[in-house]
Amino acid sequence: MVARIVLFFLLLSAAPCLIFAEDSVRVGILPFSIHAQDEMDLLQNRLGELLEKQLSKEGISAVLFSHKTIAEEDYIDNKDWLRSFGQRRGVDFVITGSLTLIGGGFSLDAEAVSCDAARPSYSFYVQGEGLETLLDRIQKLAGRISDKIFERKNIVRINIAGNRRIEAEAIKRVIKAREKGPFLKKELSDDLKRVYGMGYFDDVRIESADIFGGKEVTFHVKEKSIIRNMEIKGNDAINDDKIKEALDIKTGSTLNIRNVRNNMEIIEDLYKEKEYHNVCVTFETKAVEEDQVDLLFTVKEGERILIKEIIFEGNVVVGSDDLQDVMETSEKGFFSWLTSSGELDPEKLDMDIARIVGYYNNHGYIRTRVGEPEIAYKDEWIYVTIKIEEGPQFGIGEVTLEGDLIRPEEELTGIIEITKEEVYNREVIRNDVLALVDVYSDAGYAYADIAPRMKEDPDNLKVDIVYTITKGEPVYFEGILIAGNTRTRDKVIRRQLDVYEQELFSGKRLRQSSRNLYRLDYFEDIKVNTGKGSSDNKMNLHIDVKEKPTGAFSFGGGYSSVDKLFVMGSISQKNLFGRGQTLMLQASIGGRSNIIDLSFTEPWLFDTPVSAGFDLYKRDMDYDTYDKLSTGGRLRFGYRITNYTRVFFYYGLEENEIREIQDDASQDIKDMVEDLGEEYLTSGITGIVTRDSRDRVFNATEGSNNKLSVEWAGGPFGGDVAFTKYIGESGWYFPLFWSTVGMLRTEAGFVSENSSGALPVYERFFLGGMNSVRGYEWRDIGPKDPLTGDPTGGNKMLQFNVEYLFPLIKDAGFMGLLFFDAGQAYDDGESMDLGNLRQSAGYGFRWYSPMGPLRLEYGYVIDREPGESKGRWEFSIGSVF
């Protein structure tokens, strides 16, 4: 029993306390009497201590009197003696009492005897069940003593006054005082702070009044004004909309002066980002109605301050021009109004310092030190000074590998590139680490650690490099967990993955899986993460996707050099029913063509990597001297050989009608109509092999697009038309310096008539126009009728295109280009003589606008013949080319 009490009071002594301040009152606590069967000396000593702590929480200063102190007095247990004792000890009240233990319960009796005969004394009684409730009972006893000593009253009613927009209940929810609760000055003082802290009031005060049964408390509030209108003046460099978009105060919000000042700083920061470092922003308010104001920000922009000069100090080996080429920050240039040259961005400047250090490290200067840039503002200009300590240049010493080698050292050494460098190069070493990590991760060692260790030889100015490899255990994919796909089915996602459950980890195939998912274009965001599995050598793959709408309806128009003005509309769904299927209906009406197409594609037929689909179409084409109406369709099948390589097979059936034949039509056209009639049937198959590794279709920056196709019409497939057509094309994109791109493309074709039918004129080859040899009219290059001069097309063709693309407005994707084109279509019996190629050169602009890809290009005819124009502008927008 005694041990239980000891443990119980040790726990009680650790309880936290919250002290409320009240008027100073001092009490003395005499030892309580204990009435119990067992000896309770420990309980008697601790009881007074607990009561003293609880009274302190109530704002009462208490002092404990021991048995020895009382023994020194002539102890008489009556109020007169207790009052006299307290007066001698300098306390306001003397508290005495007893604790009686009866079975499992207890009762606690106490009396507070006033040392001032004019004030009454008070008796108290509480009881409880089990000693575990003793602390709660002592707290209750202390509260009752405090209420009597301070003569506290309860709050009968709480009122809110002065509020207009803020509801009274919203205010009452933040205050702690409650009706029927005690009237505590400390608590009300805290409540005043809480109400003021809501941020809606200019002033808050509390009044209390005595009423029947206790106290009435009233919170008087004065609400802040509301911003009716907000205006900005003096801003020429930044428009109102952009400033208001950055501000976090809006019309209709509460006027808070501190927030207003914060928003003044936001405006100043916007200007400083545009190099207006002397900007000054002030504000004023104008009362317009009760509790409403108009807020006016006035901006004094000052002059735009740009970087006049970047000064390097201490650089001897590396020239200042080379260092400036490394930096993104630059001096003011002639086109600073269009570019960001001369603008000072502290974050970019900090990154530039790191770039300079990296440049030196990549050229062997491993001890280079670059100081913090010094920025000086002088005469409306900015001067930036960068101090450099270059140090000596270090070459490459011995390069070795140690640790867990999964391949022969010679083979792994052949992977790394630092051995081919003459001087130390930090970037090459970093790439070597990544290359080695890829080798190990593809072998299943997902947690392989590759740590390069450098040892300097200052005497010979060499650096020995040791790649220390710790491979760890091979790791297996335990589970692939997909989340976030509320529409797209799991199997549509899983079939894009090149990794599988229970197989070894592969970093290369995991990255390829992520790229495959992005190519679907079904998701706004894709997160591919790995997590620990059920053991150290197992890993879970987590794929979290955020879906985006995959259905689209578009209607628009544009202009092209072929169709002139045209309008087009389409409705499509590229993830039909979440199965990854594509359904599209589109139509366009233009100067030369009217087209309507319906297509459907199943990318994984019967859950195999075979794609299938069909197209139904009706096309009315104007070919200058005749019109052609085609109605037909085709079945499509495809198979993915690798991530970039695919093979396709088409079967097409088309009903053709030749109409509106002009009198000046070429003899070939008339012969075609004579052989086939005005209505005839085309039936055939097409086989295509493609390899497309471009990073994007429009304005590609790297990769290649290669295609070889064979079309066979007639023969066993029936129909009136019979021919075989071969076309091969290859285009390559090369990233060059300064974010520029080079492109080389060639295309060749051959078509021959089969014995079972005729070859229509329009299936022959024609060059000229925006998508072949620019600067020439559409279909203007190739054989022509000697009498009418109409193009008759060739049975073979050859074409070359060279382009150099450079960014004009990089962030907007606005590109400029220079090009050279050459090509020719050859008639039956003619050899493909490269000396007969028609040539053009020119320049242009490209932009992926909100309306679609835009091209504006001028081609200059190099080898102009009599009667030909020098060149022409060509423009296209609103369609993909």
Side-chain angles (χ1 to χ4, degrees):
M1 177 69 175
V2 174
R4 185 163 62 92
I5 294 174
V6 170
L7 178 59
F8 174 67
F9 278 105
L10 287 173
L11 292 173
L12 291 182
S13 64
C17 65
L18 180 62
I19 300 175
F20 292 98
E22 281 282 0
D23 297 334
S24 178
V25 174
R26 201 162 179 268
V27 302
I29 303 174
L30 299 182
F32 275 49
S33 300
I34 305 297
H35 303 293
Q37 293 179 354
D38 298 328
E39 293 294 331
M40 293 290 178
D41 292 342
L42 178 61
L43 182 59
Q44 184 180 49
N45 294 334
R46 292 289 289 141
L47 194 60
E49 295 175 5
L50 288 172
L51 181 59
E52 183 268 336
K53 281 189 176 182
Q54 297 304 319
L55 289 174
S56 296
K57 295 178 184 180
E58 298 288 339
I60 297 175
S61 176
V63 58
L64 292 173
F65 295 118
S66 64
H67 286 286
K68 181 179 179 181
T69 303
I70 298 173
E72 293 175 354
E73 303 282 346
D74 187 11
Y75 177 66
I76 301 174
D77 188 9
N78 59 50
K79 290 184 179 179
D80 291 337
W81 183 89
L82 291 172
R83 184 177 291 114
S84 175
F85 176 83
Q87 290 173 350
R88 291 194 301 274
R89 296 295 178 176
V91 297
D92 300 301
F93 286 86
V94 175
I95 297 176
T96 185
S98 64
L99 173 67
T100 302
L101 299 177
I102 306 174
F106 64 86
S107 64
L108 192 59
D109 300 270
E111 185 174 16
V113 178
S114 173
C115 297
D116 182 356
R119 293 192 63 180
S121 298
Y122 307 103
S123 296
F124 309 94
Y125 169 78
V126 295
Q127 62 181 4
E129 292 293 330
L131 283 177
E132 62 272 11
T133 66
L134 181 59
L135 177 60
D136 178 70
R137 300 296 90 187
I138 292 175
Q139 290 174 339
K140 187 171 184 180
L141 175 63
R144 291 181 179 180
I145 293 172
S146 175
D147 288 344
K148 290 295 185 182
I149 289 177
F150 288 122
E151 296 181 349
R152 289 185 180 134
K153 297 181 179 180
N154 287 340
I155 299 174
V156 178
R157 187 163 50 248
I158 298 176
N159 302 318
I160 309 295
N163 57 309
R164 294 177 178 272
R165 299 181 305 276
I166 310 303
E167 295 182 357
E169 289 302 318
I171 299 173
K172 287 184 177 180
R173 278 196 293 269
V174 304
I175 64 179
K176 301 299 183 184
R178 293 290 181 264
E179 294 177 353
K180 298 183 181 180
F183 179 82
L184 303 174
K185 294 180 181 178
K186 168 64 176 175
E187 188 174 80
L188 290 173
S189 177
D190 291 341
D191 282 342
L192 185 144
K193 296 176 183 177
R194 293 186 185 101
V195 174
Y196 193 81
M198 293 175 71
Y200 301 131
F201 309 108
D202 281 328
D203 184 44
V204 181
R205 58 187 177 86
I206 301 176
E207 289 183 352
S208 63
D210 292 322
I211 62 174
F212 179 75
K215 289 280 192 179
E216 180 182 49
V217 177
T218 302
F219 287 80
H220 293 275
V221 297
K222 181 182 179 183
E223 293 181 344
K224 291 181 177 179
S225 300
I226 294 296
I227 300 174
R228 188 188 70 168
N229 291 317
M230 185 167 60
E231 184 182 354
I232 304 167
K233 71 175 185 179
N235 54 310
D236 294 326
I238 306 177
N239 61 41
D240 288 7
D241 291 340
K242 187 169 184 179
I243 293 177
K244 289 181 178 180
E245 182 180 347
L247 301 181
D248 56 20
I249 55 175
K250 311 293 180 184
T251 56
S253 60
T254 301
L255 178 67
N256 186 308
I257 299 302
R258 182 167 56 184
N259 287 348
V260 171
R261 296 188 186 280
N262 290 339
N263 280 267
M264 289 167 56
E265 295 180 3
I266 291 175
I267 297 174
E268 291 177 352
D269 289 341
L270 286 176
Y271 271 88
K272 288 177 181 178
E273 289 175 2
K274 290 185 171 293
E275 309 307 322
Y276 289 87
H277 293 276
N278 292 330
V279 62
C280 178
V281 181
T282 59
F283 81 95
E284 58 182 299
T285 59
K286 179 182 179 183
V288 288
E289 294 180 10
E290 186 176 3
D291 297 334
Q292 290 191 357
V293 298
D294 286 344
L295 175 62
L296 172 65
F297 288 104
T298 301
V299 180
K300 294 183 179 179
E301 295 179 334
E303 293 296 325
R304 191 165 183 250
I305 301 178
L306 299 175
I307 298 173
K308 176 71 172 179
E309 186 177 5
I310 299 176
I311 305 165
F312 297 95
E313 295 182 358
N315 58 309
V316 177
V317 178
V318 181
S320 298
D321 291 341
D322 292 333
L323 294 177
Q324 284 203 25
D325 290 341
V326 174
M327 300 174 63
E328 188 173 348
T329 305
S330 63
E331 299 170 348
K332 178 185 178 299
F334 181 79
F335 293 101
S336 62
W337 55 274
L338 181 62
T339 66
S340 60
S341 67
E343 295 182 359
L344 175 62
D345 185 332
E347 292 184 3
K348 288 183 180 179
L349 188 56
D350 288 341
M351 291 298 297
D352 286 338
I353 299 303
R355 292 187 184 99
I356 292 173
V357 173
Y359 180 85
Y360 273 99
N361 289 169
N362 292 340
H363 289 78
Y365 296 91
I366 60 178
R367 294 184 178 179
T368 296
R369 300 292 181 268
V370 180
E372 289 290 327
E374 300 173 1
I375 301 172
Y377 297 87
K378 299 178 182 177
D379 301 328
E380 305 301 326
W381 289 102
I382 302 173
Y383 295 84
V384 179
T385 302
I386 301 174
K387 297 181 179 180
I388 300 172
E389 295 180 11
E390 292 180 329
Q393 187 182 47
F394 282 75
I396 296 297
E398 185 179 4
V399 179
T400 57
L401 294 92
E402 65 178 24
D404 302 324
L405 306 185
I406 62 173
R407 296 184 187 177
E409 184 174 358
E410 297 78 14
E411 184 177 343
L412 291 176
T413 303
I415 294 174
I416 61 180
E417 298 290 330
I418 193 63
T419 55
K420 303 174 184 177
E421 299 290 323
E422 294 183 1
V423 297
Y424 177 90
N425 190 312
R426 185 179 66 180
E427 185 66 24
V428 172
I429 293 174
R430 182 185 294 113
N431 292 335
D432 285 345
V433 170
L434 294 177
L436 290 171
V437 167
D438 284 344
V439 170
Y440 276 75
S441 68
D442 287 340
Y445 298 98
Y447 303 124
D449 181 41
I450 317 291
R453 187 174 70 251
M454 272 68 73
K455 182 180 179 181
E456 297 180 16
D457 181 359
D459 295 331
N460 298 310
L461 294 180
K462 297 283 187 180
V463 178
D464 294 334
I465 304 172
V466 180
Y467 292 92
T468 303
I469 304 174
T470 305
K471 67 180 183 180
E473 292 187 28
V475 178
Y476 294 81
F477 285 112
E478 182 173 19
I480 299 176
L481 310 175
I482 301 173
N485 53 319
T486 58
R487 177 178 176 83
T488 306
R489 304 191 179 197
D490 270 21
K491 71 175 184 179
V492 174
I493 297 175
R494 287 182 182 273
R495 67 196 187 194
Q496 299 299 319
L497 304 180
D498 283 346
V499 295
Y500 307 94
E501 294 170 336
Q502 308 307 318
E503 74 164 12
L504 276 173
F505 174 89
S506 171
K508 181 179 180 181
R509 287 189 285 117
L510 183 58
R511 290 191 296 273
Q512 184 61 52
S513 299
S514 179
R515 285 195 291 268
N516 291 346
L517 290 176
Y518 274 104
R519 285 179 182 175
L520 287 176
D521 200 27
Y522 299 164
F523 310 111
E524 183 178 324
D525 187 31
I526 302 171
K527 294 180 180 178
V528 179
N529 298 305
T530 56
K532 192 176 184 301
S534 59
S535 60
D536 290 341
N537 69 334
K538 292 183 178 180
M539 173 188 293
N540 286 320
L541 177 61
H542 299 271
I543 300 176
D544 296 312
V545 299
K546 183 179 180 182
E547 294 185 309
K548 66 180 181 180
T550 53
F553 172 78
S554 63
F555 180 82
Y559 178 87
S560 73
S561 56
V562 176
D563 269 327
K564 309 304 178 184
L565 288 174
F566 66 89
V567 294
M568 60 182 297
S570 69
I571 182 170
S572 65
Q573 172 55 259
K574 58 186 176 184
N575 188 15
L576 190 64
F577 307 123
R579 298 175 180 268
Q581 300 164 337
T582 301
L583 179 66
M584 182 171 64
L585 174 66
Q586 61 180 354
S588 67
I589 300 174
R592 286 186 178 269
S593 63
N594 298 322
I595 301 172
I596 182 169
D597 279 301
L598 173 66
S599 65
F600 172 80
T601 302
E602 166 56 73
W604 284 68
L605 185 64
F606 307 123
D607 291 327
T608 65
V610 175
S611 65
F614 66 82
D615 303 297
L616 299 175
Y617 58 85
K618 185 173 183 179
R619 300 171 181 172
D620 192 354
M621 304 291 293
D622 179 0
Y623 286 95
D624 291 331
T625 58
Y626 68 97
D627 292 347
K628 172 175 171 281
L629 176 64
S630 303
T631 304
R634 62 180 180 175
L635 294 175
R636 295 179 277 107
F637 295 92
Y639 182 77
R640 187 183 74 170
I641 300 174
T642 68
N643 284 315
Y644 300 128
T645 305
R646 287 171 169 78
V647 59
F648 299 95
F649 295 96
Y650 301 161
Y651 169 72
L653 182 64
E654 183 178 272
E655 185 180 72
N656 304 283
E657 181 183 354
I658 303 298
R659 304 177 304 178
E660 304 293 335
I661 302 174
Q662 305 294 321
D663 293 336
D664 59 350
S666 68
Q667 188 59 44
D668 285 349
I669 300 297
K670 296 176 181 178
D671 291 343
M672 180 186 73
V673 174
E674 183 177 347
D675 292 339
L676 296 173
E678 293 187 357
E679 296 184 5
Y680 55 92
L681 192 67
T682 301
S683 176
I685 64 168
T686 303
I688 303 174
V689 178
T690 68
R691 187 183 188 280
D692 188 353
S693 62
R694 292 176 295 176
D695 56 348
R696 51 180 176 262
V697 175
F698 188 75
N699 282 350
T701 61
E702 61 181 350
S704 65
N705 182 31
N706 306 276
K707 182 167 69 173
L708 177 63
S709 68
V710 179
E711 183 180 0
W712 185 15
F717 306 105
D720 303 307
V721 172
F723 65 88
T724 304
K725 180 184 288 188
Y726 306 88
I727 298 177
E729 61 177 284
S730 180
W732 295 79
Y733 299 81
F734 308 94
L736 303 174
F737 49 88
W738 299 335
S739 300
T740 62
V741 177
M743 190 278 289
L744 299 176
R745 180 178 178 273
T746 184
E747 182 176 2
F750 175 78
V751 62
S752 63
E753 182 178 280
N754 297 336
S755 59
S756 59
L759 172 65
V761 171
Y762 54 81
E763 292 291 356
R764 295 171 68 86
F765 295 110
F766 302 84
L767 296 182
M770 177 167 279
N771 296 314
S772 58
V773 182
R774 287 158 282 195
Y776 292 87
E777 293 284 350
W778 181 57
R779 298 162 58 92
D780 196 39
I781 297 177
K784 293 181 174 62
D785 187 294
L787 297 177
T788 65
D790 290 337
T792 58
N795 72 327
K796 47 190 169 294
M797 70 90 173
L798 189 61
Q799 175 184 323
F800 299 96
N801 305 97
V802 180
E803 292 183 351
Y804 174 67
L805 293 96
F806 48 92
L808 294 176
I809 305 178
K810 186 175 182 179
D811 293 340
F814 188 67
M815 307 288 290
L817 78 150
L818 303 174
F819 65 83
F820 170 80
D821 297 336
Q824 184 61 273
Y826 303 90
D827 206 348
D828 301 354
E830 289 184 329
S831 62
M832 298 177 68
D833 184 2
L834 297 180
N836 292 335
L837 296 179
R838 304 302 307 274
Q839 303 172 44
S840 68
Y843 57 92
F845 307 93
R846 290 182 184 172
W847 177 41
Y848 208 123
S849 73
M851 293 180 60
L854 177 149
R855 294 173 66 183
L856 176 62
E857 298 168 8
Y858 180 82
Y860 174 76
V861 177
I862 295 177
D863 52 349
R864 186 163 61 97
E865 294 180 353
E868 288 184 337
S869 64
K870 294 181 178 180
R872 60 200 299 266
W873 281 100
E874 295 182 279
F875 173 78
S876 177
I877 185 172
S879 62
V880 177
F881 21 78

